[in-house]
Amino acid sequence: MNEMMTNLDPLVTAETWRRSGREVAIATVVETWGSAPRPPGSHLVIDSEANFEGSVSGGCVEGAVIIEALEVIGTGEARMLEFGVADETAWRVGLSCGGRIRVYVERLG
């Protein structure tokens, strides 16, 4: 059986992907306010082909984080992202629940 199919820890997936030669970014929920779908410490790992595993929001925020992660992989420059109803993009990315989240995205290796 495929190791990634039996493993649900995105950090282990990130390590496995990196060891196989993939370029990888890790997105981590670092802070939440109000109603947020995923708690601090939640991870989403993304490779340079936009494959991903894990979750930072359970909604459309993932799509925006994946796009940012691809840029982080390309430049090597980490970034802090914030999503919330105060932002004009909140409804578009799916944070209509009234909460806000901050997500730190960094390249692995």
Side-chain angles (χ1 to χ4, degrees), residues 2 10-11 23 28 30 36 41 51 65 71 76 95 97 102-103 105:
N2 184 322
L11 296 180
E23 293 293 324
T28 305
V30 295
N51 295 300
V65 172
E71 291 183 28
L95 270 183
C97 58
R102 289 181 75 195
V103 178
V105 183

Side-chain angles (χ1 to χ4, degrees), residues 81-98:
L81 310 175
E82 187 170 325
F83 301 94
V85 293
D87 301 328
E88 290 181 17
T89 60
W91 290 91
R92 188 175 74 229
V93 298
L95 270 183
S96 56
C97 58

Side-chain angles (χ1 to χ4, degrees), residues 1-2 9 13 18 32 34 41-42 44 55 59-60 70 72-74 76 78 81 86 88 90 93-95 98 101:
M1 183 175 255
N2 184 322
D9 185 344
T13 298
R18 188 70 185 112
T32 64
S42 297
L44 177 67
S55 177
C60 298
L70 293 172
V72 167
I73 289 170
L81 310 175
E88 290 181 17
V93 298
L95 270 183
I101 63 171

Side-chain angles (χ1 to χ4, degrees), residues 5-19:
M5 290 178 68
T6 61
N7 172 40
L8 299 177
D9 185 344
L11 296 180
V12 174
T13 298
E15 181 180 5
T16 301
W17 286 358
R18 188 70 185 112
R19 285 184 181 170

Side-chain angles (χ1 to χ4, degrees), residues 17-39:
W17 286 358
R18 188 70 185 112
R19 285 184 181 170
S20 72
R22 295 187 194 186
E23 293 293 324
V24 177
I26 300 174
T28 305
V29 176
V30 295
E31 199 167 7
T32 64
W33 298 269
S35 176
R38 304 285 297 155

